[in-house]
Amino acid sequence: LVAFNRGSRWGLCFYDGRGLRAFHDSDPASESLLAKFIQTHPVKTLNMVSHIRYATRGEVKLENVHPFQREMWGISFCFAHNGDVSCFDRTQFAGNEVVDCPTSSNIPKVNKINKSHCVKIPWIGRSIGVEDEGERPYNPIGATDSEAMFCAILNALRARFDTLPSLPVVHAAVQSLCNEIVGLNDQFE
């Protein structure tokens, strides 16, 4: 991690049994106390995702550092992506209606913060037989196109499957959604 010091921000997620351990830092890895901590504590896992972020969309803030994680079907999913996805760039859909984001908080101030940052992200899912139902339980916290795309994928999967389908079915659905995103993205470039 220390080799990537040119203003890069970084994150690391790894599975420990059914749990997901996540480490993110908005400080460059070369200056990060968290990176030093991880270097001194060996990680043993069969499944790890790490990401060095060179910010092209969204400010350099902790909420924009990959990998992103969300829970669905009782499983913690994590996601990282390199590149730009224009159709999920907030400036492309910033004019969309502001929606009430699902929140578990009964604290008005938290709800106000969530609502002010929550816009209706583009819908995908037609490729797996799901029309736009309007409900989007997964919403980006930060301002990256990658997190918005991750949330869109999860929203489509959640709308299509009530419970976790077999891995080949999930794989085929994710592949179809990625192809749909590529087609949608071509319209914005």
Side-chain angles (χ1 to χ4, degrees):
L1 287 174
V2 175
F4 296 95
N5 62 1
R6 298 180 188 174
S8 300
R9 292 1 183 196
W10 63 276
L12 171 72
C13 285
F14 65 91
Y15 290 87
D16 186 357
R18 289 182 42 90
L20 181 66
R21 294 185 186 267
F23 301 91
H24 298 85
D25 204 338
S26 56
D27 289 333
S30 61
E31 302 168 12
S32 170
L33 294 176
L34 187 55
K36 288 178 178 62
F37 171 81
I38 292 172
Q39 287 176 336
T40 61
H41 293 80
V43 173
K44 295 180 182 179
T45 185
L46 298 174
N47 197 350
M48 177 187 295
V49 176
S50 63
H51 189 270
I52 305 292
R53 181 166 193 265
Y54 179 76
T56 58
R57 306 234 171 128
E59 296 178 64
V60 178
K61 292 183 172 181
L62 189 60
E63 63 263 26
N64 292 328
V65 177
H66 304 220
F68 304 106
Q69 66 257 354
R70 299 289 191 285
E71 178 278 329
M72 183 169 63
W73 303 315
I75 300 169
S76 294
F77 288 87
C78 67
F79 177 87
H81 169 261
N82 285 324
D84 293 330
V85 187
S86 297
C87 62
F88 286 101
D89 181 351
R90 277 189 180 248
T91 61
Q92 297 288 351
F93 61 89
N96 287 1
E97 65 181 290
V98 174
V99 295
D100 288 328
C101 291
T103 178
S104 59
S105 174
N106 291 324
I107 304 169
K109 185 175 181 180
V110 172
N111 289 336
K112 183 178 178 184
I113 290 169
N114 287 344
K115 186 172 183 176
S116 69
H117 293 289
C118 191
V119 295
K120 196 170 185 180
I121 61 176
W123 179 261
I124 59 169
R126 290 172 189 83
S127 64
I128 60 171
V130 180
E131 293 300 318
D132 185 355
E133 299 174 8
E135 186 177 343
R136 290 166 174 77
Y138 299 99
N139 292 282
I141 296 167
T144 69
D145 51 343
S146 297
E147 186 183 20
M149 178 175 61
F150 177 44
C151 290
I153 290 169
L154 292 178
N155 285 330
L157 290 172
R158 173 67 107 203
R160 174 66 180 87
F161 305 107
D162 290 331
T163 60
L164 175 66
S166 69
L167 290 181
V169 171
V170 170
H171 180 268
V174 170
Q175 184 175 6
S176 291
L177 292 170
C178 289
N179 291 336
E180 187 176 340
I181 290 166
V182 169
L184 183 62
N185 198 54
D186 289 345
Q187 299 173 21
F188 286 87
E189 293 185 344

